[in-house]
Amino acid sequence: MSSENQLAHKTRLLRHVRRAVVKVGSNVLSGPQGLRRERVRALAGEIAALVARGRQLVVVTSGAVATGAPRLGARRHRLEWRQAAAAVGQIGLMTAYERAFAAHERIVAQVLLTHTDLSDRRRYLNARHTLRTLLDLGVIPIVNENDTVAVEELKFGDNDHLSALTASLVEADLLIVLSDVEGLHTRDPRLDPEAGLVRLARADDPAMREVAGPVRSEVGTGGMASKVAAAREAAAVGIPTIIADGTVDGVLAAVFEPSVEVGTLILADGDRLAHRKHWIAYALKPSGALHLDAGAEQAVAKSGRSLLPSGVHAIEGSFGVGDCVRCIGPEGREFARGLVNYTAAELDKIKGVHTREVERLLGYKASDEVIHRDDLVVLGTAGTPEA
């Protein structure tokens, strides 16, 4: 974390912000009685004003489950109950957005996604084209996870992660995460009123992980830790993040005002990942793992080389050609992930052998490499990708 002044950095980055993603958390929109429609109206007014001044904004919203839950009686924690609550609540949530933006003569579009939609490269690109077209037409996309059909292994986990993927998807210039706290604090401000607000931080600063501990609520599935993780994901493609209090009137105007300090600005320092490698690192869920020897880890992580069969000594999981897998070094730490050229069954037969032996053992050779370097993403010590 940094003691530098937020305003100097904010002034510089706002000069280049034309397109932004605004993530609105459940605790901003919802309370014990369900959806807070007055808050939806207030945020819609702020977003519409920014769009009128030439900004392109995508809204990633939570709140479907929290909107539907009060209509279903006592809250339950089973996934099926949350899916039912989302099905009931999504209608009311989108109706509230549509009416709120209509008051400002703005059209909205509903975009529901699951992890499967973005883990398939063709569907990922289709989603990108649709969102870009909507923005070019002056429409405000409202993105949410499709909780009604998602099952546990397909869920994003929280809409903070979805907001970072969306920011990369539309090539946004800024990610804005609105929560019910002012920003990142040195400690949890709900437990310690003396906790200090961090105005400026860098995405690659390990100190952020120590102060962002997991905080969950009755209506949301994310905490500050997930917001910091989302900021790192966005930073991997060069997108900075501002975490701010979405319950405060005028918060978005303050975000876009260079002379006003607001929330926590997390800078995206360092090299950027190519969008395809960002997709491999964040949009895909690994289907298995490869345990590698020290030489293979060195070749991949330090020399930027492809992974060859000789460096693999154990296979974990069941996966097919083109699936994403984790690469684990001798010390048990994941240091990379990538797309494999062989199935788990094939790799089990050729692990540890020289490339020239592959055809003899399998009867064919699909590729010299288990994972080509163009399909590999090396992870940092914190499990975050390096360019």
Side-chain angles (χ1 to χ4, degrees), residues 309 321 341-350 353-368:
V321 175
N341 292 322
Y342 291 94
T343 68
E346 289 169 333
L347 281 176
D348 198 46
K349 295 177 182 177
I350 64 173
V353 307
H354 194 278
T355 302
R356 63 174 173 265
E357 296 294 314
V358 170
E359 188 168 0
R360 181 182 64 81
L361 292 170
L362 294 181
Y364 54 88
K365 183 168 69 173
S367 172
D368 285 343

Side-chain angles (χ1 to χ4, degrees), residues 80-104:
E80 294 86 350
W81 188 91
R82 290 179 60 83
Q83 290 174 309
V88 172
Q90 186 65 29
I91 299 170
L93 180 63
M94 282 307 303
T95 299
Y97 272 117
E98 185 175 38
R99 289 176 177 171
F101 279 104
H104 302 278

Side-chain angles (χ1 to χ4, degrees), residues 121-320:
R121 186 64 177 170
R122 183 165 57 182
R123 290 161 74 177
Y124 176 93
L125 294 175
N126 286 342
R128 170 182 285 182
H129 296 152
T130 299
L131 287 167
R132 285 180 175 176
T133 300
L134 290 169
L135 291 170
D136 290 342
L137 291 171
V139 176
I140 300 170
I142 310 292
V143 179
N144 197 359
E145 183 182 3
N146 194 352
D147 291 305
T148 303
V149 300
V151 294
E152 195 61 42
E153 63 267 20
L154 297 179
K155 288 174 67 64
F156 289 102
D158 55 73
N159 279 356
D160 297 319
H161 177 45
L162 177 58
S163 70
L165 287 174
T166 303
S168 174
L169 190 69
V170 301
E171 297 181 320
D173 305 302
L174 177 66
L175 171 61
I176 303 163
V177 178
L178 299 182
S179 183
D180 61 343
V181 293
E182 192 176 359
L184 178 65
H185 288 74
T186 53
R187 292 174 298 280
D188 187 345
R190 297 181 180 110
L191 303 177
D192 183 358
E194 301 300 317
L197 176 65
V198 178
R199 286 293 187 188
L200 185 68
R202 286 177 162 75
D204 58 358
D205 186 350
M208 283 205 302
R209 293 189 301 278
E210 299 173 10
V211 301
V215 177
R216 291 177 177 265
S217 70
E218 282 298 307
V219 295
T221 62
M224 190 53 67
S226 70
K227 291 164 181 53
V228 168
R232 282 203 191 88
E233 292 177 32
V237 283
I239 302 171
T241 298
I242 292 179
I243 302 172
D245 189 346
T247 66
V248 175
D249 287 338
V251 62
L252 289 176
V255 165
F256 283 94
E257 174 51 58
S259 63
V260 176
E261 277 195 320
V262 60
T264 301
L265 169 59
I266 302 177
L267 299 175
D269 293 335
D271 297 328
R272 302 182 183 188
L273 280 176
H275 280 278
R276 186 171 180 278
K277 289 204 171 188
H278 189 273
W279 172 74
I280 292 171
Y282 291 116
L284 301 184
K285 281 197 171 182
S287 301
L290 306 180
H291 293 264
L292 313 183
D293 62 30
E297 181 179 19
Q298 175 76 16
V300 170
K302 302 299 182 184
S303 303
R305 295 182 181 175
S306 300
L307 175 62
L308 302 177
S310 58
V312 181
H313 71 80
I315 315 297
E316 185 180 324
S318 177
F319 49 84

